[in-house]
Amino acid sequence: MTLPHTGRALADAAPVPYWLDRPDRPDPLPPLAGPQDADLLVIGGGYSGLWAALLAKQADPDRDVLLVDAGTCGWAASGRNGGFCAASLTHGLANGVDRFPGEIGELERLGRENLDAIATTVADFGIDCDFERTGELAVAVAPYQVAGLAADAELAQRYGHHVRLLDRDEVRAEVNSPTYLGGMFDADRVAMLDPAKLAWGLRRACLDLGVRVHEHTRVTGLRADGAALYASTLGTDPADAGMAGAPAAGRPGSVRARRIVLATNAFPPLLRRLRAYLVPVYDHVLMTEPLTPAQRDAIGWRNRQGLADTGNQFHYYRITADGRILFGGYDAVYHYGNRVAPELEQRPATFAALAAHFFTTFPQLADVRFSHRWGGVIDTCTRFCPFFGTAYGGRLAYAAGYTGLGVGATRFGARVLLDLLAGGDTPLTRLDLVRSKPLPFPPEPVRAIGINLTRWSMARADARDGRRDLWLRTLDRLGLGFDS
């Protein structure tokens, strides 16, 4: 459904991520040129790579750590997400119970410690990223979802979560939407933050500790080089580079490193073995202009919780520090052949649908306009949570598959990667989460057919009171899936 005023509300929305559209964003660092050596090379300047570089340097200040990114630190998923920083390492408790029943208690403990450690790092390094431990409110917008919230609350309480069920009046007293039929509030396992400012703050912390960082530096190949690894690179002038820093020509360089962390997530992997396990899925987001005091009064939302509805095709939304509403999700889009390209970030049909859903959720905000619209790519795997591994005889470690919940989990993932590179037997490397792999996706064209059939079936389930068809039930039995 497209409401009559949807086009008008979107007319002036800038086609760029709000978080990155800042005059105070840091200047790009120079690309790598010529041959370099390092103890540890980190490939990728998103959260995964930044946490790995920071933790490695904190553990051993004398370790020579070099980080490269094809664009600038935080320009991809780390600077485009909703800013929900969750304690879960398994993309939610229910997914963790289903996939790791023997260790979910330990994973929940580690996840809570991980969120606490992120808060400590933000405070210790003075990272101004609007970190707020406001919790998250899950809302039911269809009658069948009310029963689902009750089941979710029972499971959460069984594992020690401090959650509270809210009836229709109670949830609308928190956030006033006529679509809400009930809610579940998780008080302390989710924080809100400014994702780009977190990435930029981690970048600054890395530099302050002596990490060498080169932006607009694409790694074009990897090979063994005796006892080390050799990475060939292509550096580009930031003035000539696109968002991914990948024009046809540039300055060649190289890094010879004893160990490598590969943290490229959704982008075409440098390791062929990862291609079967990952699909890049595009998620799209709208940001409103700042709300007026009267508009804020009309919706309440005084406690600034993160919100998400509980359909298969769900929306997530939150209030920013300057009083805007971010509204995203719903329509996860896969492009044939794992295609990733800048032009795929803009999808008018999805933006129109999101705008219509926004005004259905908050009809009292009918005069609000959107300031920004953007998309970004998520690294999805069939188990919805990260997987890990090594290559080149243990000299390279990788993590991928965070499926949109990586703001918090990437710090834990970085710890795992450093343990794997150290080669020791540790509590983290013994986890089944770390030792196991998700089921692979099939090759094309079966991959695209299966993903699109799954998306269709999920939308159909939402329209049929949550009833899952034969295709979705089969995927459930096989442990396969596709997250919206």
Side-chain angles (χ1 to χ4, degrees):
M1 177 183 68
T2 301
L3 301 178
H5 56 289
T6 295
R8 183 175 68 251
L10 287 165
D12 298 322
V16 293
Y18 165 76
W19 309 114
L20 300 174
D21 189 23
R22 302 269 181 70
D24 59 343
R25 61 184 178 273
D27 293 331
L29 294 165
L32 185 143
Q36 302 283 335
D37 291 282
D39 295 326
L40 175 67
L41 170 64
V42 178
I43 303 173
Y47 293 143
S48 292
L50 290 166
W51 279 118
L54 181 65
L55 293 173
K57 200 67 174 175
Q58 286 181 307
D60 182 0
D62 294 328
R63 192 175 195 178
D64 181 20
V65 180
L66 190 155
L67 181 149
V68 298
D69 192 272
T72 57
C73 291
W75 71 269
S78 299
R80 296 163 186 258
N81 62 80
F84 287 64
C85 186
S88 178
L89 305 176
T90 58
H91 209 273
L93 176 59
N95 189 55
V97 169
D98 286 344
R99 300 184 186 279
F100 309 104
E103 64 185 30
I104 185 60
E106 175 70 1
L107 293 173
E108 287 291 292
R109 182 188 66 80
L110 289 168
R112 178 57 186 264
E113 290 177 355
N114 185 66
L115 182 58
D116 291 342
I118 292 171
T120 298
T121 300
V122 166
D124 288 349
F125 286 94
I127 298 175
D128 180 17
C129 63
D130 303 323
F131 188 94
E132 300 178 276
R133 207 144 179 178
T134 56
E136 183 177 22
L137 180 61
V139 295
V141 295
Y144 79 90
Q145 295 173 11
V146 176
L149 285 179
D152 290 344
E154 190 279 329
L155 179 65
Q157 289 164 351
R158 194 188 316 161
Y159 285 90
H161 294 199
H162 301 294
V163 301
R164 181 167 62 94
L165 283 174
L166 291 77
D167 63 23
R168 187 187 70 170
D169 292 340
E170 289 172 325
V171 73
R172 293 183 185 182
E174 288 290 331
V175 183
N176 184 17
S177 169
T179 66
Y180 296 168
L181 304 178
M184 183 184 76
F185 180 51
D186 186 334
D188 61 353
R189 296 183 64 85
V190 178
M192 297 289 105
L193 52 79
D194 182 314
K197 286 185 176 180
L198 174 62
W200 297 337
L202 292 174
R203 172 189 185 259
R204 178 177 56 80
C206 285
L207 292 169
D208 288 348
L209 292 184
V211 176
R212 293 185 286 152
V213 179
H214 292 280
E215 297 178 321
H216 292 290
T217 300
R218 177 177 296 278
V219 175
T220 57
L222 295 172
R223 63 174 172 82
D225 184 21
L229 295 175
Y230 179 90
S232 54
T233 68
L234 189 69
T236 58
D237 189 318
D240 299 330
M243 282 297 289
R251 293 189 295 276
S254 64
V255 182
R256 188 176 187 273
R258 295 178 56 249
R259 297 289 185 270
I260 290 180
V261 162
L262 181 60
T264 52
N265 297 75
F267 289 89
L270 290 162
L271 287 179
R272 183 179 295 274
R273 70 183 67 174
L274 295 180
R275 296 175 187 175
Y277 293 107
L278 291 170
V279 296
V281 175
Y282 275 86
D283 183 53
H284 297 85
V285 184
L286 297 176
M287 184 73 84
T288 72
E289 62 191 0
L291 271 59
T292 66
Q295 290 167 336
R296 286 293 298 274
D297 288 342
I299 60 171
W301 210 345
R302 294 173 184 84
N303 293 319
R304 303 179 57 81
Q305 311 96 322
L307 271 88
D309 59 52
T310 54
N312 289 300
Q313 292 184 294
F314 64 91
H315 306 85
Y316 55 88
Y317 38 120
R318 48 82 55 93
I319 291 274
T320 65
D322 61 349
R324 302 168 186 263
I325 296 177
L326 176 145
F327 194 84
Y330 181 72
D331 191 13
V333 182
Y334 172 74
H335 297 276
Y336 187 89
N338 280 23
R339 186 174 172 225
V340 175
E343 60 268 22
L344 302 179
E345 296 166 10
Q346 295 295 313
R347 197 167 190 263
T350 295
F351 294 134
L354 280 174
H357 299 165
F358 175 88
F359 291 120
T360 299
T361 303
F362 297 122
Q364 61 270 54
L365 300 181
D367 57 341
V368 164
R369 298 171 73 93
F370 298 102
S371 64
H372 294 76
R373 52 181 166 85
W374 71 92
V377 66
I378 294 170
D379 57 328
T380 299
C381 69
T382 57
R383 73 184 193 187
F384 304 155
C385 59
F387 63 92
F388 308 88
T390 61
Y392 293 101
R395 288 171 288 175
L396 179 147
Y398 60 83
Y402 289 93
T403 317
L405 210 63
V407 177
T410 45
R411 182 192 175 278
F412 168 83
R415 291 180 59 206
V416 169
L417 295 181
L418 296 176
D419 276 10
L420 289 171
L421 288 177
D425 178 30
T426 74
L428 297 187
T429 61
R430 288 195 293 269
L431 292 168
D432 187 44
L433 172 69
V434 174
R435 293 185 293 107
S436 63
K437 291 286 192 299
L439 291 171
F441 289 97
E444 298 288 17
V446 178
R447 177 178 295 199
I449 293 170
I451 289 172
N452 288 322
L453 176 58
T454 303
R455 292 179 62 225
W456 179 85
S457 294
M458 286 164 46
R460 186 166 179 252
D462 284 337
R464 299 171 67 235
D465 295 328
R467 294 192 298 274
R468 297 171 76 80
D469 61 17
L470 178 61
W471 175 251
L472 292 180
R473 295 197 304 272
T474 300
L475 293 181
D476 292 340
R477 287 194 295 270
L478 294 174
L480 289 162
F482 177 76
D483 191 69
S484 66

